[in-house]
Amino acid sequence: MSAYLGKYTDELIKTAKYIATPGKGILAADESTGTIGKRLASINVENVEANRQALRELLFTAPGALPCISGVILFEETLYQKTASGKPFVEVLQEGGVVPGIKVDKGTVDLAGTNGETTTQGHDGLAARCQQYYKAGARFAKWRAVLKIGPTEPSELAIQQNAHGLARYAIICQENGLVPIVEPEVLTDGPHDIKKCAEVTERVIAACYKALNDHHVLLEGTLLKPNMVTPGSDGPKVSPEVIAEYTVTALQRTVPVAVPGIVFLSGGQSEEEATKNLNAMNKLNTIKPWTLSFSFGRALQQSTLKTWAGKKENVGAAQKAFLVRCKANSEATLGKYGGDAGVGLATESLHVKDYKY
Amino acid sequence: MAASVLKAGVSFGSSQWMSGSKSIEVQKPGKPQRASFSIRASAAYADELVQTAKTVASPGRGILAVDESNATCGKRLASIGLENNETNRQAYRQLLLTTPGLGQYISGAILFEETLYQSTTDGKKFVDAMREGNIMPGIKVDKGLVPLPGSNNESWCQGLDGLASRSAEYYKQGARFAKWRTVVSIPNGPSELAVKEAAWGLARYAAISQDNGLVPIVEPEILLDGDHSIDRSLEVAEKVWAEVFFYLAQNNVLFEGILLKPSMVTPGAEHKERASPQQVAEYTLKMLKRRVPPAVPGIMFLSGGQSEVEATLNLNAMNQSPNPWHVSFSYARALQNTCLKTWKGLPENVEAAQVALIKRARANSLAQLGKYSAENESDDAKAGMFVKGYTY
């Protein structure tokens, strides 16, 4: 068999294509309980289920926002939560034309014999979990592999381990009806320049597709979630146009045409930076056979979170802030962003050194 | 890899060993010496390679393959009753390469080494005549197939030894692209070994070519021989191209400066069902979309035993909607067959033979644009050219 051909083939292809609709993108709201705790702590809100539910309800019911969104990645807890008035989140999303997705990895662990490099866990029992998530309404999944740039990193071991981990996760998802988002994040930490990031990103993504092909993954039923190609956090800054050029070149060299969409992670970029870079990519006059869109967590939620500050009376304003970012990014996927949303909180860098997700 | 493992300054030169003044530095565990990353093999010639590849992959044009080895050319000449000597080979290639107006449909021609250094009967170098006709000279650089030990009676392609200096010489003579043909056999497996060797050899050749200014055409021919289905062909093609691109990337080949020469995805020659052009197009495009990064500018299909018309119809079917890469042809038999038969080695037939060549070139040009129709094609052009167990 050349690629996965089973009972979910048609649905996988359809879902992946839909998520990659130009003008739409993904809201990554899959922060683990620990991570969302950090977010809530930053606005002095207690990390209890009610507050986690309140934040996600704020996002999912923001007027006008869902049309900009094709999918939302959820954490397991959220997949089973409801609105305050008792409507399952999954239904809210589905009615809004948004595909529910689910984070399925179980975090990273160190690779012995390397200099702090990691691999991602989560394969055990994954098939059964995917089946349950499918029953609960999820139709896509996400698994985050992490690589870093250093004098001798990423090592061949780290690249191969993470690539094969992603491939194994991907085929298990497809066998159980979920479109796998393949996420090989190359961290921005470091003093390196954009050329170095480009070399590493190309090498990593090439290894990923080799592994996906070896594992018979149906590329038409997947999405890629890469980092943009940027200078290191301590490296010399460049304009969005330069980032766009290096990023799209890297993808042209590594991503087969069969992949319907590429949904970028924002890493530690500010909301505005991420949008501007995405916009510049979509304005580039070059071959782009896949949709170039977003799968942003912090870069969609940051201002919203700060505006909400945990207070009911701020919900309206917070939802408005959220809509501003959604609209901006939706326009950016069409190369039509006018730069008018770049004020205040939106320009704050979100980079955290050695960020643990 | 080897270069990075040996530290600079370590040498096996006799003086250093003799004097004992330097010993090999042992790599301490936990302190890898390997330089982090890649310099593209093509650095010096990058711009020219990209430009050459783009020119060969220009709309409405494709490649004329005339790189038959002397032995193979001999078979062609024998089929029209001609002796296999240099004069006849030169006459035949002159007929082809100086066909007026050929450059409108042909962007490049692959030559055999002998031909690269030959001239027309008027004393003009073939490479100059081609340039004037807007046809880029290319050169076959592989040294043929030999049995692969430890495999299931499969082959591997030789030619890496001295390839760098040969490529540099060819570049000096005027060649701007190269070609290396290896084969994969479905009836024989293919074995993992054979596929890896094919892919690795191509990747090494590609890096060396780029390093010396030649755009490498990457050709892993999956032979038509066999009774396998089109699904099996697809499976093997996807495996082969995954390996090829993986090793190309590992060898730091610049993808914007290569061209591919794949087999179309078809059933085996002895399979009970034939495939329509639409089916061939569907399967072939599926394979390309799953394996070929959009940075590659051109995909120039080999004809591999298809009839002239079949090859053209299949190419046409593949170009019915826009593709992210230039999808075109690199045909030998499928361009030359009728022309050769028309010539019969007689000077008085040269013009008619050239007309026949232009006819096929034009047909394939139209196919590249998705505008070809098979009406008015002769029976000759439709005749299959598959030869079982064909050796090139």
Side-chain angles (χ1 to χ4, degrees), chain A residues 1-2 151 202-203 213 258, chain B residues 36-37 40 235 238 289 291:
Chain A
M1 157 164 56
S2 64
E202 286 173 23
R203 191 164 151 219
N213 293 338
Chain B
S36 273
F37 218 65
R40 294 272 165 200
E235 195 176 15
E238 288 181 359
K289 286 180 182 167
R291 292 297 181 266

Side-chain angles (χ1 to χ4, degrees), chain B residues 301-381:
Chain B
F301 283 97
L302 61 92
S303 49
Q306 298 175 40
S307 75
E308 288 177 329
V309 170
E310 226 184 317
T312 306
L313 278 171
N314 288 337
L315 180 63
N316 188 54
M318 282 187 242
N319 281 295
Q320 291 308 303
S321 47
N323 292 308
W325 346 255
H326 177 76
V327 173
S328 184
F329 58 93
S330 173
Y331 293 164
R333 286 173 280 173
L335 277 169
Q336 297 180 41
N337 195 44
T338 305
C339 168
L340 181 71
K341 296 214 162 102
T342 308
W343 178 45
K344 298 205 208 342
L346 302 167
E348 57 267 33
N349 292 343
V350 165
E351 212 181 301
Q354 290 181 326
V355 166
L357 178 64
I358 285 282
K359 184 169 179 205
R360 293 275 27 107
R362 183 162 187 277
N364 286 301
S365 162
L366 286 170
Q368 199 290 307
L369 299 166
K371 297 193 163 101
Y372 169 76
S373 140
E375 295 164 17
N376 309 319
E377 292 281 22
S378 73
D379 286 330
D380 250 354

Side-chain angles (χ1 to χ4, degrees), chain B residues 25-334:
Chain B
E25 292 190 38
V26 174
Q27 286 200 340
K28 298 188 175 67
K31 271 193 161 188
Q33 304 291 337
R34 184 169 60 88
S36 273
F37 218 65
S38 72
I39 298 163
R40 294 272 165 200
S42 54
Y45 290 100
D47 290 339
E48 187 180 0
L49 291 168
V50 173
Q51 200 44 54
T52 300
K54 264 206 185 111
T55 303
V56 172
S58 47
R61 300 207 295 166
I63 292 176
L64 168 64
V66 293
D67 59 317
E68 297 86 355
S69 62
N70 290 347
T72 304
C73 191
K75 287 187 210 169
R76 305 271 181 272
L77 296 172
S79 77
I80 53 168
L82 281 191
E83 201 190 321
N84 185 11
N85 56 43
E86 194 184 336
T87 309
N88 286 341
R89 293 194 294 271
Q90 180 273 342
Y92 180 47
R93 270 68 183 266
Q94 174 166 330
L95 185 163
L96 297 170
L97 299 171
T98 61
T99 294
L102 190 62
Q104 198 185 346
Y105 312 116
I106 300 294
S107 54
I110 319 176
L111 308 175
F112 183 61
E113 188 181 84
E114 178 188 80
T115 322
L116 185 68
Y117 291 93
Q118 280 179 332
S119 304
T120 66
T121 40
D122 291 339
K124 179 181 272 185
K125 287 195 198 150
F126 274 156
V127 290
D128 292 337
M130 288 166 72
R131 286 277 187 190
E132 281 166 25
N134 210 17
I135 300 175
M136 190 83 73
I139 176 72
K140 186 232 299 281
V141 303
D142 70 72
K143 295 209 171 237
L145 301 165
V146 286
L148 177 60
S151 74
N152 187 24
N153 276 329
E154 297 157 289
S155 318
W156 67 291
C157 185
Q158 296 187 129
L160 293 178
D161 292 358
L163 181 59
S165 50
R166 284 193 297 127
S167 301
E169 283 304 311
Y170 295 147
Y171 181 93
K172 262 209 216 94
Q173 178 64 7
R176 286 299 178 270
F177 69 95
K179 166 260 181 116
W180 168 292
R181 173 185 176 262
T182 191
V183 299
V184 167
S185 164
I186 297 184
N188 292 61
S191 65
E192 278 286 331
L193 171 62
V195 173
K196 269 193 163 41
E197 171 52 36
W200 183 254
L202 281 166
R204 294 277 289 114
Y205 136 79
I208 293 171
S209 297
Q210 289 194 331
D211 207 38
N212 291 284
L214 302 179
V215 168
I217 296 185
V218 175
E219 181 179 358
E221 174 169 0
I222 300 172
L223 297 167
L224 198 54
D225 301 59
D227 61 4
H228 48 273
S229 68
I230 196 171
D231 284 300
R232 177 66 183 139
S233 274
L234 177 64
E235 195 176 15
V236 174
E238 288 181 359
K239 168 76 177 166
V240 167
W241 284 105
E243 293 287 317
V244 169
F245 276 105
F246 181 59
Y247 291 131
L248 285 172
Q250 283 201 331
N251 279 268
N252 299 315
V253 171
L254 178 69
F255 287 179
E256 292 87 345
I258 67 174
L259 296 161
L260 308 186
K261 183 162 170 171
S263 320
M264 297 184 194
V265 179
T266 68
E270 284 111 22
H271 188 66
K272 48 184 156 64
E273 285 152 26
R274 313 280 294 137
S276 67
Q278 285 65 39
Q279 224 192 339
V280 171
E282 188 198 317
Y283 274 77
T284 307
L285 287 175
K286 184 178 280 189
M287 182 277 288
L288 295 176
K289 286 180 182 167
R290 287 175 175 178
R291 292 297 181 266
V292 184
V296 175
I299 301 174
M300 328 292 286
F301 283 97
L302 61 92
S303 49
Q306 298 175 40
S307 75
E308 288 177 329
V309 170
E310 226 184 317
T312 306
L313 278 171
N314 288 337
L315 180 63
N316 188 54
M318 282 187 242
N319 281 295
Q320 291 308 303
S321 47
N323 292 308
W325 346 255
H326 177 76
V327 173
S328 184
F329 58 93
S330 173
Y331 293 164
R333 286 173 280 173

Side-chain angles (χ1 to χ4, degrees), chain A residues 83-123:
Chain A
T83 64
S85 52
K87 186 177 209 164
F89 278 156
V90 167
E91 269 178 45
V92 172
L93 294 174
Q94 287 166 341
E95 280 168 23
V98 177
V99 183
I102 176 76
K103 185 233 296 285
V104 303
D105 72 72
K106 295 203 172 235
T108 59
V109 287
D110 282 356
L111 280 170
T114 67
N115 183 19
E117 293 179 288
T118 63
T119 186
T120 300
Q121 298 186 124
H123 294 105

